[in-house]
Amino acid sequence: MSSSADKQQLDNLLDQIRQCTICQDHLPLGPRPVIQAASSARLMIIGQAPGTKVHDTGIPWNDPSGDRLRRWLELDRETFYNPEHIAIMPMGLCYPGRGKSGDLPPRPECAPQWHPQVWPLLPDIGMTLLVGQYAQQRYLKDKPKTLTETVKAWRNWAPEFIPMPHPSPRNTLWLKKNPWFEEEVVPYIRKYVHRHLGLESGKGR
């Protein structure tokens, strides 16, 4: 997508998304949709929903989970937050509130409402990271029942879709029990990202 009309169409859609209030009655902190995109982006990251730190700042993955994700990708913040390279569109665009054992699931209104409108305006996406079970349930066909089994079967959908565990510190134990993820999957993702973003190996950290 190179025309100014196409760019304007995406910019208008992003403005519309950032003003979204369709589920405001269910949001304890009110709506603050978080999304990042440009028509030239090569990598898409679809996570769950913003936490309180992301809600407060309006910056996606601006928390310890984001720190680990950037380490996996070997990208510094400047590169990670450049929408010309990386699009970020969670399943739920606003902080959903707190439950008994952590944040509530993403609001179900977001992805059906906005994802189908964004995708046609991002023609250069070659890889999409599906971070967590909610993104995987929406985008992967015939996937195994558990997240671990799904991530183990990542080659079934690569390179278009890569299922991943959430990089939350809460998943540190999972990562220790499943070292193959950081030994096999992370290097595959990193190689794609650095090649398609025009980065030399190790650059961008």
Side-chain angles (χ1 to χ4, degrees):
M1 182 186 305
S2 58
S3 75
S4 58
D6 289 335
K7 181 180 183 301
Q8 189 61 52
Q9 185 179 359
L10 178 58
D11 289 344
N12 290 343
L13 178 60
L14 293 176
D15 287 342
Q16 186 180 356
I17 291 172
R18 290 175 178 130
Q19 296 173 30
C20 177
T21 60
I22 59 175
C23 59
Q24 64 179 349
D25 292 343
H26 303 282
L27 302 175
L29 301 182
R32 189 176 189 180
V34 176
I35 187 170
Q36 168 180 307
S39 59
S40 60
R42 304 297 299 273
L43 176 73
M44 169 67 84
I45 301 173
I46 301 180
Q48 298 184 169
T52 53
K53 291 183 179 179
V54 173
H55 176 88
D56 289 343
T57 62
I59 301 172
W61 295 102
N62 189 31
D63 52 21
S65 296
D67 293 339
R68 174 176 273 163
L69 178 58
R70 283 183 286 275
R71 286 197 299 272
W72 283 346
L73 300 177
E74 287 190 352
L75 295 178
D76 58 24
R77 290 177 66 92
E78 180 181 1
T79 305
F80 185 82
Y81 289 118
N82 184 347
E84 300 293 329
H85 294 315
I86 297 176
I88 300 173
M89 180 173 64
M91 289 296 294
L93 300 175
C94 296
Y95 171 64
R98 184 93 177 155
K100 292 182 179 180
S101 59
D103 290 347
L104 292 170
R107 289 300 309 171
E109 299 90 342
C110 286
Q113 174 70 24
W114 298 118
H115 285 208
Q117 297 188 59
V118 172
W119 276 116
L121 304 178
L122 301 178
D124 293 333
I125 298 293
M127 176 181 284
T128 297
L129 305 183
L130 300 175
V131 185
Q133 60 176 325
Y134 298 104
Q136 292 161 19
Q137 287 170 359
R138 179 172 178 85
Y139 284 98
L140 298 183
K141 296 180 180 179
D142 302 321
K143 80 173 196 65
K145 291 184 178 180
T146 70
L147 181 140
T148 300
E149 292 172 329
T150 302
V151 177
K152 280 185 177 180
W154 64 276
R155 291 182 179 86
N156 292 350
W157 305 283
E160 182 179 8
F161 293 113
I162 306 292
M164 301 173 60
H166 199 282
S168 167
R170 294 186 178 189
N171 277 341
T172 297
L173 181 59
W174 186 96
L175 293 168
K176 288 182 178 179
K177 290 182 176 180
N178 298 276
W180 51 266
F181 175 74
E182 291 186 316
E183 293 169 359
E184 301 173 15
V185 188
V186 168
Y188 177 89
I189 297 169
R190 186 184 299 147
K191 183 177 179 180
Y192 169 91
V193 171
H194 283 244
R195 182 172 71 248
H196 289 275
L197 268 59
L199 300 173
E200 298 174 359
S201 180
K203 185 179 179 182
R205 280 182 287 183

